[in-house]
Amino acid sequence: MADDLERPGGDAEHEAPPHAAPPSIWPFAFALGIAVALIGLIISWPIAAIGGAIALVFGFLWIRDATREVRGAPAPAPPAAVEGEEEVVGEGPPQYPRSVFLEGATLGIGALIGGIVTVPALGFAVLPAFVEQTYDPVDLGPADTFPEGQWMITKFISVADEPPDVSRRTAYVRNNGSRDGQPSFTIISNRCVHLGCPVQPQGLTEEESQEVETEAGPVEVTATEPSGFVCPCHGGAYDIEGNRTAGPPVRALDRYEFSILDGRLVLGQPYSVAEVEGEGSEALIKAYPIADPGVHVDGPEQYFYPYVP
Ligand code: FES
């Protein structure tokens, strides 16, 4: 009789058909982790890392529970031997319940869809952090084009290979004299740190400009007497050192590094500034990597961008 056939390692208790793992909260916790990670990609890296860790831990627990049944269950009973046929014990492919197959297929398809959706987004979000943006030095002409204490509006081409309409930039330059024997210049970007509109000097600007020849093309230089800078878009206002004084901007105006090469003023990398203490050559400035408009570079707000409290 088939029922009387002996199975290796089998007894009445072990012969009970395997059953699916009881419902667990791991899938929901895993989904929560993915959601937190995606939100973190927009808000801040620490939150993305926490979400990733949650997804990793609960994903592991989910998979472990889902596969426990397969690992712990005995092999299903082989088909009953038909009279006259020789019984083959312990051979043939392993067999799994359909529920296990469906669960595995659901996990696999879910992972595939998750990967298709997440990987490109992750790539676009993460890659720029590893690709350092560099800026070409820009020759603004002889340093004596900039008299001490005088603000100058400079308009120049920032990237020689790009069309002028795309790469034309404006910076406000003031020669501060010297500090500790070194030349000192204040060079402020005209990009508003609210949404990026061009800020304007608030005060009289000469009508006549001069063109300074450089290898990359002419630089337009115009003298101005600003008492501060204003943004025409939403009323953002800055003092003469670029500190925000009113309106929606979230930090001080960005600045440029500079150097004097062969007597010429050369713009270097731009950098961001939270606040400037002091004035001119005595100013105390903490430089941050250049940040987009609207982004805080210091304080707790930097972790909540774009949700500014
Ligand atoms: S873009 Fe300057 S205040 Fe909004």
Side-chain angles (χ1 to χ4, degrees), residues 73-85:
V82 178
E83 207 170 328
E85 263 186 20

Side-chain angles (χ1 to χ4, degrees), residues 131-169:
V131 180
E132 196 176 336
Q133 192 175 3
T134 56
Y135 298 84
D136 296 335
V138 178
D139 179 6
L140 290 185
D144 57 16
T145 309
F146 303 91
E148 189 171 330
Q150 174 69 59
W151 279 100
M152 292 289 198
I153 305 170
T154 58
K155 297 184 178 175
F156 53 89
I157 306 299
S158 60
V159 182
D161 301 338
E162 284 186 358
D165 289 349
V166 175
S167 61
R168 185 177 294 280
R169 299 283 182 274

